[in-house]
Amino acid sequence: MAVTFILDFSDGQHIETSGNGVIGRNPAVHTPGTELDDPAHVQLIEIADETKSVSRAHLAFGQYDGLFWVLDLGSANGTTIVYPGDGAYSCDPNVRHEVDPGSVVKFGKASFALTTR
């Protein structure tokens, strides 16, 4: 059964999701051959960033067996996960990384905190 994850963004957006999505300045579904290639099932989250520290399609997210993951889409400024009590971890591009509730995901000058409901 899908878990509802809550993403609280540094720009004030509060998003509840139980599916897949793409985050960026101008996000689009552009990962053919994956669960992210069907626009009807992908949530697009736009982040306003005049400094362009956030890429147009910076990172993808989703869940598998109740675990939340992020995948850096080869962004210019990377993605970092700050785990509670564990420090920061830089994500390898195009590799899924598990994100624990209570963690903060930083991408460019933006971020979101992850919790569950």
Side-chain angles (χ1 to χ4, degrees):
M1 180 174 181
V3 175
T4 299
F5 289 97
I6 301 166
L7 288 64
D8 284 309
F9 287 86
S10 53
D11 68 359
Q13 290 186 75
H14 175 88
I15 306 290
E16 295 189 16
T17 183
S18 58
N20 299 314
V22 177
I23 299 170
R25 285 191 343 267
N26 185 16
V29 179
H30 70 284
T31 313
T34 72
E35 65 272 13
L36 298 174
D37 64 355
D38 181 0
H41 295 98
V42 176
Q43 189 169 9
L44 301 177
I45 300 172
E46 187 172 337
I47 303 295
D49 180 18
E50 293 178 9
T51 66
K52 296 186 178 179
S53 70
V54 176
S55 296
R56 284 178 293 191
H58 198 105
L59 66 120
F61 67 86
Q63 65 172 292
Y64 179 76
D65 284 345
L67 300 173
F68 190 85
W69 55 263
V70 295
L71 181 142
D72 184 278
L73 294 170
S75 66
N77 290 316
T79 301
T80 302
I81 303 168
V82 181
Y83 295 98
D86 262 349
Y89 179 80
S90 294
C91 297
D92 296 320
N94 301 309
V95 176
R96 286 184 185 182
H97 297 275
E98 184 181 325
V99 182
D100 300 328
S103 298
V104 174
V105 177
K106 297 181 178 185
F107 52 102
K109 293 183 178 177
S111 65
F112 68 84
L114 180 73
T115 55
T116 59
R117 177 164 56 91

